[in-house]
Amino acid sequence: MIALAYLAALLVPLGCMALLDARFRLVLWADARRGALVLALGVVFFLLWDVAAIAAGFYHRGESEAMTGIMLAPELPLEELVFVTFLCYLTLVLHGLVLLLLRSRRTTTAEVG
């Protein structure tokens, strides 16, 4: 069970972000195709970055009982894919929230003025 701790620690907040996204229609629920494309491009970019770092010898997988041990490639654990997805999705959700706040602020200012 401990071997799934890190993966679960990534998947739970990822699911919470999906709920936030669905509630406010920020990324995937605003435009599923565009959101998925941008998310996929971000994930691919960072995975290529990881692969380049691994090839250059800068990156090595950590040893922890909290990791599943599932490797996608040499020195590239499953948790790295989930983390990169989490990071990209978090950025997109935060961007969507900022845009939503700015739009609501403009609406409030227009109503008052």
Side-chain angles (χ1 to χ4, degrees), residues 5 8 12 14 17-18 22 24 36 42 47 61-62 70 77 80-81 84 86 89 97 104 108-109 111:
V12 169
L14 189 62
M17 278 192 305
F24 293 104
L47 284 179
R61 149 180 97 91
I70 299 170
E80 183 67 12
L81 171 63
V84 166
F86 170 79
Y89 195 33
L97 282 171
S104 70
T108 305
T109 305
E111 289 173 357

Side-chain angles (χ1 to χ4, degrees), residues 16-97:
C16 291
M17 278 192 305
L19 291 173
L20 187 64
D21 182 12
R23 166 62 179 91
F24 293 104
R25 299 191 182 283
L26 302 169
V27 182
L28 298 175
W29 275 263
D31 185 343
R33 192 167 52 177
R34 182 179 66 180
L37 177 64
V38 173
L39 181 60
L41 287 173
V43 170
V44 167
F45 173 79
F46 282 112
L47 284 179
L48 289 174
W49 185 326
D50 283 347
V51 168
I54 290 166
F58 293 118
Y59 179 79
H60 299 286
R61 149 180 97 91
E63 296 294 326
S64 171
E65 291 180 12
M67 295 176 67
T68 62
I70 299 170
M71 302 299 288
L72 303 176
E75 303 299 329
L76 187 64
L78 170 66
E79 290 84 359
E80 183 67 12
L81 171 63
V82 177
F83 173 74
V84 166
T85 303
F86 170 79
L87 181 67
C88 292
Y89 195 33
L90 173 63
T91 303
L92 291 172
V93 167
L94 287 175
H95 179 263
L97 282 171

